[in-house]
Amino acid sequence: MEKSKSRRRNRNLFLFFCVAPATILLFLFMVMPTFNVFRMSLYKWGGFSADKTFVGLNNFKILLKDAKFLRSMQNSILIIVVVTIVTMALAIIFAAILSRQKLKGQGFFRVIFYIPNILSIVVISAIFSAIYDQRDGLLNSIVYLFRPVGENGEGLIAWLGDQKLVIWAIIIALIWQAIGYYMVMYMASMASVPESIYESAALEGAGGITQFFTMTLPLIWSNIRTTLTFFIISTINLSFMLVKTMTEGKPDGASDVFLNYMYNQAYTNSSYGYGMAIGVVVFIFSFALSGIVNAVTKRETLEF
């Protein structure tokens, strides 16, 4: 009896010392900063002085009337919707082609598709800034072949300087960066589906497209759900880094996203409390969006 209690006590101590470091780090670097964001959103504070004025929910009232913030939120939602749909669709299609079709150089294509994911966001920004450059960029070099251009560059398109085009330029860069990573993940899921299932379906007369929609997608759906939630949250962060390094929200806020706007308010305009209020809105928006996506994509798990 005593030996049993001693073993149980030792096991509990062992588990405690295993879990304690991770719990402490989580509390110090996740829970406390998050709580501090919520707390500071109730103050008017420049971030560098000792003077803090408690204003309650006044920062949030200002936020709802801030046209620049509302525009940045519209841009963020547009990026999330378009980038998520296009990236997920292309990643699944390319994964199916490289997994199910017998193509020469499959390994080569897998490496080529995955390369953008190993590049830092700064390198990607530099690549696309060069592509979109108004005078010497690749896109305008192609445009030059099909339309007249003046000696001073008249007729060339300012991809990052046009208020209607700049957000789409950011979207294309984000899609290019993400496709390969999720394609590899879906290829791994598709590889786990037994070949005998496809052979049986082929004997029943099901073609490749029918097999894709009735078998492949349902069987890897749990993986799609997981990656979808992860991708949406990562898109919010990546869009901020890409905008910060490529355009800084220019021209006139046309490419601004809410994390970039939050950063500018908190650390550039010395409105730290107002910036934290934006952070609270982004925090709630991210969790709400994740919950909605999980609820909408919930399906009965299929086994094979």
Side-chain angles (χ1 to χ4, degrees):
M1 190 68 178
E2 291 296 329
K3 289 183 178 180
S4 177
K5 289 183 178 179
S6 178
R7 288 176 182 174
R8 191 181 301 111
R9 189 184 306 109
N10 292 335
R11 182 182 63 187
N12 292 338
L13 284 173
F14 175 76
L15 292 175
F16 171 79
F17 284 112
C18 287
V19 174
T23 304
I24 293 171
L25 290 174
L26 177 67
F27 181 78
L28 289 177
F29 295 103
M30 290 293 293
V31 177
M32 285 187 64
T34 301
F35 173 77
N36 194 51
V37 168
F38 278 80
R39 183 176 66 86
M40 292 311 304
S41 69
L42 304 177
Y43 287 84
K44 182 179 180 180
W45 183 42
F48 299 100
S49 66
D51 297 329
K52 298 178 185 177
T53 304
F54 181 79
V55 293
L57 299 177
N58 190 57
N59 284 329
F60 296 95
K61 293 178 182 178
I62 297 173
L63 197 61
L64 295 176
K65 300 177 182 179
D66 189 343
K68 291 183 178 180
F69 169 73
L70 295 177
R71 185 175 187 179
S72 69
M73 192 161 191
Q74 288 175 353
N75 288 339
S76 295
I77 294 172
L78 177 64
I79 288 174
I80 291 169
V81 173
V82 176
V83 173
T84 300
I85 292 174
V86 176
T87 302
M88 294 292 104
L90 292 178
I92 293 170
I93 291 171
F94 291 151
I97 292 173
L98 292 177
S99 297
R100 301 293 307 148
Q101 304 297 322
K102 294 181 179 180
L103 301 174
K104 291 184 179 180
Q106 284 185 340
F108 171 77
F109 286 114
R110 293 178 186 181
V111 173
I112 290 298
F113 273 103
Y114 193 75
I115 283 177
N117 188 254
I118 66 177
L119 301 176
S120 73
I121 201 69
V122 176
V123 174
I124 293 171
S125 300
I127 291 172
F128 277 90
S129 293
I131 291 174
Y132 293 138
D133 186 79
Q134 186 172 357
R135 286 193 169 274
D136 303 317
L138 176 62
L139 281 183
N140 276 337
S141 297
I142 297 173
V143 170
Y144 180 76
L145 299 175
F146 298 98
R147 61 188 292 183
V149 178
E151 293 182 0
N152 296 322
E154 296 88 350
L156 293 176
I157 302 172
W159 301 97
L160 297 179
D162 189 296
Q163 293 194 20
K164 294 182 180 179
L165 295 177
V166 63
I167 195 67
W168 296 102
I170 299 292
I171 286 172
I172 290 171
L174 285 168
I175 293 171
W176 180 83
Q177 185 271 340
I179 286 177
Y181 176 76
Y182 291 94
M183 182 195 75
V184 171
M185 294 188 69
Y186 295 142
M187 287 179 66
S189 296
M190 293 176 187
S192 65
V193 179
E195 188 65 27
S196 58
I197 295 179
Y198 292 107
E199 293 175 354
S200 300
L203 291 174
E204 294 292 332
I209 296 177
T210 302
Q211 292 178 21
F212 175 76
F213 284 103
T214 61
M215 297 172 56
T216 304
L217 281 182
L219 289 173
I220 68 168
W221 189 254
S222 59
N223 188 30
I224 292 175
R225 284 189 69 205
T226 303
T227 55
L228 189 60
T229 303
F230 173 75
F231 180 74
I232 289 172
I233 301 302
S234 66
T235 299
I236 295 174
N237 296 324
L238 286 174
S239 63
F240 159 63
M241 291 187 284
L242 203 63
V243 166
K244 191 67 181 174
T245 52
M246 283 183 68
T247 67
E248 294 187 350
K250 300 174 183 177
D252 194 28
S255 63
D256 221 351
V257 291
F258 44 36
L259 283 182
N260 187 62
Y261 189 67
M262 179 195 76
Y263 179 89
N264 289 335
Q265 291 298 315
Y267 301 106
T268 303
N269 297 339
S270 297
S271 300
Y272 190 82
Y274 186 61
M276 293 306 99
I278 299 173
V280 170
V281 173
V282 175
F283 181 86
I284 296 173
F285 173 82
S286 301
F287 268 82
L289 187 60
S290 298
I292 292 170
V293 169
N294 279 325
V296 170
T297 58
K298 188 175 183 179
R299 299 286 189 278
E300 183 178 352
T301 304
L302 299 180
E303 298 180 357
F304 49 83

